[in-house]
Amino acid sequence: MTESPELTESPEPTELTEQPLDLLYSETEDDLRAAVRALLADRAGHQTLLGRIETENPYVPGLWKSLAGDIGVAGLLVPEKLGGQNASHREAAVVLEELGRAVTPLPYLTSAVVATETLLAVAGESDAAAGLLAELAGGRTVAALAVPLSTAPDAGLPSGGPVMAVADAVAADVFLVPRADGLYAVPADEATVVPQTPLDLTRPLATVTTAAGSGARLAGPDAARAAVRRGLLAGAGLLASEQLGLAEWCLEETVRYTRERHQFNRPVGSFQALKHRMAQLWLDLVGARAAARAAADALATGSADAPLLVAVAQAYCSRTAVRAAEECVQLHGGIGMTWEHPAHLALKRAKSDQIAFGSTGRHQDTVAALVDLAPPA
């Protein structure tokens, strides 16, 4: 019997328009991770943070200079000609994994990622933006995009007046302020910053008010909207790496504790029910790592699928981080509920991150829209 030609003939090969996703860590990224982890362990351990989070300034003195300037992570996304490291979102994602593990209060995500990406979008047309990028890359200046932390990449921008819930505003030297007529750089001493009381004390929030016409104009309306969207997209994508690092610490700390804690003359971690819960959490982490790395790689390569992969990463990693932190608190028993144990820092950061740069539901809607997935009837 002769086979049908349709079944035996191979289709003509199609040219790949994009490189396949690379989810693995490079040797350079592993070295960067080791350097950041060692610095945080030495200067910003959990006990150090617990002693600072209820003060007016939760940031560890000198830590930003050491991390951003000495190690050079503030300029990872900035081209070398502007004083940066000419690295990519993959390396920045590794830094955020470590900052997430330690729940470190630093303006890295807001300044070195969101504000930097926003400025990169307009640096070619604005000498002022290029000069500000060089300052950010060297760790000499901290910038914050003056939008609420909950603003999704595809959301509308503030139309003027006070802007509430601006993350790390208290640490900013300059604000990037989107207005109806464009994007402005406003020095912090020309703005009014009123601190708010956040759920997550390691990521301060504030209301920022700037006078109309203040600051230097960096871009017009259309360019400003595109630049802010680019900044928020990078922020949402790399926030997934922070959530991944946080979830990994929660699982590792829970496994360590349940090995040491004994009940009925045996480690509590040996009970079958707890084994199942931690095994399921490990599986969730495997998926979260794949999603976070895919988003970082897509941003690094400028993939057309970046908005989709970012939305997938946020929808998945937000839920995983919260579940990992909840399990960490619960499986630590009574001590997990105390102020002295750092588990509550992880839980509050996870819950705060869950609505940062768009809620889980918002990102799920984005995924549905991008892949043309009809809602349930």
Side-chain angles (χ1 to χ4, degrees):
M1 182 176 178
T2 304
E3 294 185 0
S4 169
E6 288 82 5
L7 297 179
T8 57
E9 294 180 0
S10 300
E12 290 294 326
T14 57
E15 182 179 354
L16 294 176
T17 58
E18 293 189 7
Q19 297 179 349
L21 289 171
D22 182 3
L23 307 185
L24 303 179
Y25 297 98
S26 68
E27 184 178 350
T28 300
E29 291 164 8
D30 288 336
D31 291 343
L32 176 61
R33 180 193 306 283
V36 173
R37 183 175 296 189
L39 176 64
L40 296 180
D42 180 56
R43 301 277 299 279
H46 284 129
Q47 294 307 312
T48 299
L49 301 186
L50 288 169
R52 298 192 60 87
I53 56 173
E54 291 189 283
T55 66
E56 293 182 358
N57 181 12
Y59 305 106
V60 178
L63 183 59
W64 176 252
K65 180 180 182 299
S66 298
L67 185 69
D70 298 344
I71 295 182
V73 300
L76 288 176
L77 301 181
V78 181
E80 195 171 356
K81 65 180 180 181
L82 294 177
Q85 307 299 322
N86 200 37
S88 75
H89 301 78
R90 293 174 55 88
E91 289 79 10
V94 169
V95 175
L96 280 163
E97 284 182 31
E98 293 307 307
L99 294 177
R101 285 180 63 91
V103 200
T104 311
L106 275 181
Y108 185 80
L109 179 64
T110 48
S111 181
V113 175
V114 178
T116 294
E117 277 286 315
T118 303
L119 289 170
L120 283 170
V122 299
E125 305 296 329
S126 170
D127 291 339
L132 184 53
L133 269 173
E135 291 292 312
L136 265 61
R140 298 180 294 274
T141 298
V142 172
L145 181 62
V147 299
L149 179 60
S150 60
T151 306
D154 57 354
L157 299 179
S159 57
V163 182
M164 299 182 65
V166 178
D168 294 317
V170 295
D173 302 302
V174 63
F175 293 103
L176 305 182
V177 182
R179 296 175 180 149
D181 61 338
L183 181 68
Y184 288 77
V186 181
D189 57 9
E190 295 182 19
T192 301
V193 179
V194 179
Q196 298 175 257
T197 302
L199 170 66
D200 175 18
L201 296 175
T202 65
R203 179 164 281 154
L205 303 178
T207 298
V208 176
T209 305
T210 58
S214 62
R217 190 168 184 260
L218 303 177
D222 293 339
R225 283 191 290 271
V228 171
R229 176 178 170 78
R230 173 174 167 174
L232 293 175
L233 184 68
L238 296 190
L239 177 64
S241 292
E242 177 183 291
Q243 292 163 328
L244 169 63
L246 184 151
E248 287 180 336
W249 177 85
C250 288
L251 178 59
E252 290 172 12
E253 178 64 17
T254 302
V255 171
R256 182 199 64 77
Y257 178 79
T258 55
R259 281 176 175 169
E260 297 176 356
R261 174 78 168 123
H262 282 66
Q263 201 170 61
F264 305 113
N265 204 32
R266 58 185 289 193
V268 296
S270 65
F271 292 107
Q272 195 73 6
L274 300 192
K275 285 183 178 180
H276 286 171
R277 288 169 65 171
M278 287 184 281
Q280 183 57 56
L281 187 55
W282 181 83
L283 290 174
D284 291 343
L285 281 177
V286 172
R289 185 179 300 110
R293 293 300 291 170
D297 191 68
L299 289 168
T301 59
S303 170
D305 287 332
L308 173 61
L309 293 172
V310 166
V312 169
Q314 264 306 296
Y316 192 92
C317 293
S318 292
R319 183 173 61 250
T320 300
V322 170
R323 182 167 179 270
E326 290 173 342
E327 291 285 74
C328 182
V329 170
Q330 188 173 26
L331 296 184
H332 271 76
I335 193 174
M337 306 291 180
T338 65
W339 197 254
E340 290 74 18
H341 195 279
H344 68 91
L345 297 178
L347 179 58
K348 292 169 184 174
R349 174 63 70 87
K351 291 298 291 184
S352 174
D353 283 356
Q354 195 173 28
I355 61 171
F357 304 114
S359 65
T360 300
R362 178 76 180 241
H363 290 291
Q364 289 172 335
D365 289 343
T366 299
V367 172
L370 290 174
V371 300
D372 197 24
L373 179 65

